[in-house]
Amino acid sequence: PHLYVFPEVYKDFISRYPNVSLELFTATYHECFNQIISGKADIAFTGVNYFSENIVPVPAYSENMYFICRKDSGYPSKIDIKNLKVANSIYSPYSIDFSKWYKYWFNTYGSSFMTVDLIAQVEYFLTEFHKELWSIVPSSVAFKLKKNPLLTIKKLKTEPPKRVIYLIKKIDNESPYIPFFIEIVKEKIKT
């Protein structure tokens, strides 16, 4: 979300509330949760629904997942995942549900070509190594990567579960700006 969905949210929020200083941190989902629990962060957006008696997890949005590869890869327009070689995949654990789905379909057939935890790396590796590489990415990432003239999006016959992004915050966090920030997120997600 931080790299592909929220840049316009930040811009809009800052223009509406210039007296507020945003501090943005990119961290693992678990680190985000710990930052909220410790009071070091007001809100976080994660791909995991954390539970705690002091935390309010709210689904912020969901997005479809797409197969992406190089245009010269030779993959058909609709992909049967049974025909994919896991050794050509660039895997990123976007959510627990996606990880379970991926493991079910691919982990029994070997290891991925590469596992990355930073989504921004997927584009580089898809274009800089051999043409049979592929990845499955959230729509926000797919539509950004599709702008690269070397890459294309394909349909999967067996679709992965949607990626759900949760907003988490402490129940007693009374920051007056959180509702305004959330409202801008909702506006941007609609568009």
Side-chain angles (χ1 to χ4, degrees):
H2 183 60
L3 296 172
Y4 295 98
V5 177
F6 290 166
E8 290 297 317
V9 172
Y10 303 142
K11 183 178 175 184
D12 196 358
F13 184 82
I14 290 168
S15 70
R16 291 185 195 185
Y17 306 100
N19 60 321
V20 176
S21 176
L22 285 179
E23 290 184 44
L24 307 175
F25 300 98
T26 303
T28 66
Y29 294 150
H30 187 70
E31 290 169 329
C32 290
F33 178 75
N34 286 337
Q35 293 288 315
I36 297 296
I37 289 291
S38 68
K40 293 179 182 175
D42 291 322
I43 60 174
F45 292 89
T46 71
V48 177
N49 189 2
Y50 286 101
F51 294 97
S52 168
E53 70 179 275
N54 296 323
I55 295 291
V56 177
V58 178
Y61 67 92
S62 65
E63 54 186 329
N64 293 322
M65 302 291 285
Y66 290 94
F67 180 91
I68 191 157
C69 60
R70 285 181 28 181
K71 286 183 179 177
D72 63 350
S73 66
Y75 289 114
S77 60
K78 195 156 191 181
I79 309 289
D80 184 341
I81 57 176
K82 293 176 186 171
N83 296 331
L84 292 172
K85 292 182 181 177
V86 70
N88 290 331
S89 73
I90 299 173
Y91 169 71
S92 189
Y94 300 109
S95 70
I96 290 173
D97 289 337
F98 175 73
S99 294
K100 287 178 185 177
W101 179 89
Y102 185 91
K103 184 177 182 177
Y104 172 80
W105 285 105
F106 299 112
N107 279 7
T108 56
Y109 302 107
S111 298
S112 300
F113 174 76
M114 187 175 292
T115 298
V116 297
D117 65 349
L118 185 60
I119 296 171
Q121 295 172 314
V122 171
E123 180 176 15
Y124 175 79
F125 294 127
L126 282 173
T127 58
E128 295 301 317
F129 288 93
H130 62 86
K131 67 182 181 180
E132 291 83 21
L133 289 177
W134 57 270
S135 190
I136 299 173
V137 299
S139 60
S140 57
V141 177
F143 295 120
K144 190 85 159 186
L145 297 184
K146 187 178 167 185
K147 294 177 184 176
N148 184 319
L150 300 175
L151 301 176
T152 188
I153 296 173
K154 307 274 185 171
K155 289 271 189 187
L156 289 165
K157 288 182 181 178
T158 305
E159 293 186 13
K162 288 185 176 190
R163 177 189 192 203
V164 178
I165 297 298
Y166 296 90
L167 171 132
I168 57 173
K169 73 177 195 78
K170 284 180 102 172
I171 291 171
D172 61 356
N173 187 325
E174 300 298 327
S175 171
Y177 293 101
I178 292 175
F180 302 133
F181 188 85
I182 294 168
E183 188 59 35
I184 294 170
V185 168
K186 289 178 183 177
E187 290 172 14
K188 295 300 178 188
I189 296 300
K190 286 180 186 176
T191 61

